[in-house]
Amino acid sequence: MGLSRKEQVFMALLGASGVAGLTALILLLVEAASVLLPANTKFGIVFDAGSSHTSLFLYQWPADKENGTGVVSQALACQVEGPGISSYASDPAQAGESLQGCLEEALVLIPEAQHRKTPTFLGATAGMRLLRQKNSSQAKDIFAAVSQVLGRSPVDFWGAELLTGQDEGAFGWITVNYGLGTLVKYSFTGEWIRPPEETLVGALDMGGASTQITFVPGGPISDKSTQADFRLYGSDYSVYTHSYLCFGRDQMLSRLLVGLVQSHPAALLRHPCYLSGYQTTLALAPLYESPCVDTTPPLGLPQNLTVEGTGNPGACVSAIQELFNFSACQGQEDCAFDGVYQPPVRGQFYPLSTANATVWEFCQRSWKLVEASYPGQDRWLRDYCASGLYILTLLRDGYGFSEETWPSIQFRKQAGGVDIGWTLGYMLNLTGMIPAEAPAQWRAESYSVWVATVVFLVLTLVAVLGAAAVQLFWVQD
């Protein structure tokens, strides 16, 4: 039996109401997606041209928050193939070409229409600082080569520059605290607030050629050359920061080896930091080419040196301590080493390396056992013992961490989803992206208003359709 005229009209109106409601629901979901995932996202690229390798970092942020409290996130971390750009002194053009692979990988993630609007920077650190000391002309040629490659790429290239050690440490401090949300955070009351100062963390950075320490001290900074000032989220910060050139991992290993050669000149060198059973042959001349080494090879030594590991952590620590000038701080208050001023360490610290709590035991293992346990890592394994003991010596004897302050150190590679390093702080600074105080609360408010409006329209439509149905029923009756 078929539906009556009234039932047909009623079902049609009911269907229309359902379609309207479903359409409104779809619109709500679409708008919610556009609120949570803005379509107009901006991007920025930073190359970290370190001493041992170069890395590219791609960052993104909602365009509408450029001058507000926008959240910058890391979209890509790409390690460039090959060594650091300072290694291309004899072939500067190759330094620029080496960047192409990672740049192309980043451009795939950026809408093509935004390529020309994507600010791109290259910051070089201690490796290039050493090369400039050694041969400023070669350093200039390398910067020209990378600038040429990036300048002709489909991005908004803002330049390549040599960062000072102070900038490297300070930008690293911004990155860590930005990532952890210790500079500003969104409260439950819907307001952006400044967390207590004691939640700020310090940053320890171990690179290939230099190492940095940055933190907010407990009192005034006596040596103003070690002070960096920022205004972030409407608040002022003064941090202590210092960079030690030639105290990075790679330069430390070279200086350590040279020191052993100088103190025990012989064709066979017994290295206490290499594991027992390890043996290799090294060219002697390259060890003395770094500006960090200010001595000449002992007379009578062959060009190639045979090095044999003894796996003696006690002797290794003694050799490492010779790299520091602790006596320069005698009689000086608030001094780290080499006569450098440093207030007492304060707060929680995020280093950028990894220290093994059982490094001493590791140093006493045989090379054969370790090599079998970590296949394919021979290139790095031989230096694990020296690196671990060096980091412990630097933190304890150099920077002054004690048994009481040691637990405040955390070894991490990321903070808040971004790689720990200077690149994010650098990008925020150069683009003027460091967020201000104004909150982005309008997003939640405008979204609530939009939802209320849609709901009101849907209810109105349903009411009209319902009234029309009732009216038809009355007319039919």
Side-chain angles (χ1 to χ4, degrees), residues 255-408:
R255 292 171 57 218
L256 175 62
L257 191 54
V258 168
L260 293 170
V261 170
Q262 295 294 121
S263 59
H264 302 89
L268 173 63
L269 176 66
R270 297 175 64 82
H271 200 312
C273 305
Y274 289 170
L275 303 184
S276 61
Y278 176 82
Q279 191 176 78
T280 189
T281 301
L282 299 174
L284 191 61
L287 297 176
Y288 290 84
E289 293 178 355
S290 170
C292 295
V293 176
D294 56 3
T295 59
T296 58
L299 296 176
L301 284 182
Q303 292 184 346
N304 295 321
L305 189 69
T306 299
V307 184
E308 184 181 273
T310 62
N312 187 335
C316 180
V317 169
S318 297
I320 288 173
Q321 289 177 331
E322 292 295 322
L323 304 178
F324 298 84
N325 185 356
F326 294 117
S327 62
C329 284
Q330 288 184 357
Q332 296 186 42
E333 188 177 359
D334 294 346
C335 183
F337 58 93
D338 286 11
V340 175
Y341 162 79
Q342 179 193 299
V345 291
R346 172 176 176 261
Q348 186 177 358
F349 278 79
Y350 273 61
L352 281 66
S353 299
T354 302
N356 190 343
T358 60
V359 62
W360 195 279
E361 184 272 334
F362 176 86
C363 292
Q364 294 175 308
R365 298 180 187 178
S366 71
W367 171 253
K368 184 177 181 180
L369 176 63
V370 171
E371 188 180 28
S373 301
Y374 303 94
Q377 298 189 37
D378 293 18
R379 177 184 173 187
W380 302 279
L381 277 177
R382 76 171 190 182
D383 296 321
Y384 279 2
C385 171
S387 298
L389 291 176
Y390 172 66
I391 291 173
L392 295 175
T393 302
L394 174 66
L395 294 176
R396 183 186 62 241
D397 302 332
Y399 293 152
F401 284 94
S402 62
E403 290 186 6
E404 291 74 25
T405 55
W406 182 266
S408 69

Side-chain angles (χ1 to χ4, degrees), residues 18-19 23 37 43 54 72 98 116 127 132 137 169 207 242 245 255 291 299 313 347 356 377 409 416 435 442 462-463:
V19 170
T23 301
L37 299 172
F43 299 88
T54 299
V72 179
S98 68
R116 293 291 180 186
R132 188 177 64 171
S137 178
H242 187 77
L245 189 61
R255 292 171 57 218
L299 296 176
N356 190 343
Q377 298 189 37
I409 303 176
W442 70 269
V462 171

Side-chain angles (χ1 to χ4, degrees), residues 63-121:
D64 59 281
K65 295 182 180 180
E66 180 174 353
N67 295 313
T69 51
V71 178
V72 179
S73 60
Q74 181 176 304
L76 174 68
C78 177
Q79 183 161 321
V80 172
E81 292 187 10
I85 61 174
S86 59
S87 301
Y88 296 102
S90 59
D91 187 7
Q94 188 58 36
E97 293 302 321
S98 68
L99 309 178
Q100 291 279 29
C102 280
L103 180 59
E104 291 173 3
E105 190 172 333
L107 291 176
V108 170
L109 301 178
I110 305 172
E112 188 173 353
Q114 292 181 247
H115 286 181
R116 293 291 180 186
K117 302 176 182 178
T118 299
T120 301
F121 322 98

Side-chain angles (χ1 to χ4, degrees), residues 166 220-229 237-241:
Q166 303 297 89
I221 300 174
S222 301
D223 184 351
K224 298 305 178 183
S225 68
T226 64
Q227 179 173 318
D229 298 313
Y237 298 91
S238 291
V239 299
Y240 167 86
T241 182

Side-chain angles (χ1 to χ4, degrees), residues 46 73-74 104 142 153 172 180 182 187 192 194-195 213 304 334-335 358 360 379 417 448 468:
V46 182
S73 60
Q74 181 176 304
E104 291 173 3
I142 289 177
S153 300
L180 294 175
T182 53
S187 70
W192 290 95
R194 177 187 178 185
I213 179 171
N304 295 321
D334 294 346
C335 183
T358 60
W360 195 279
R379 177 184 173 187
S448 298

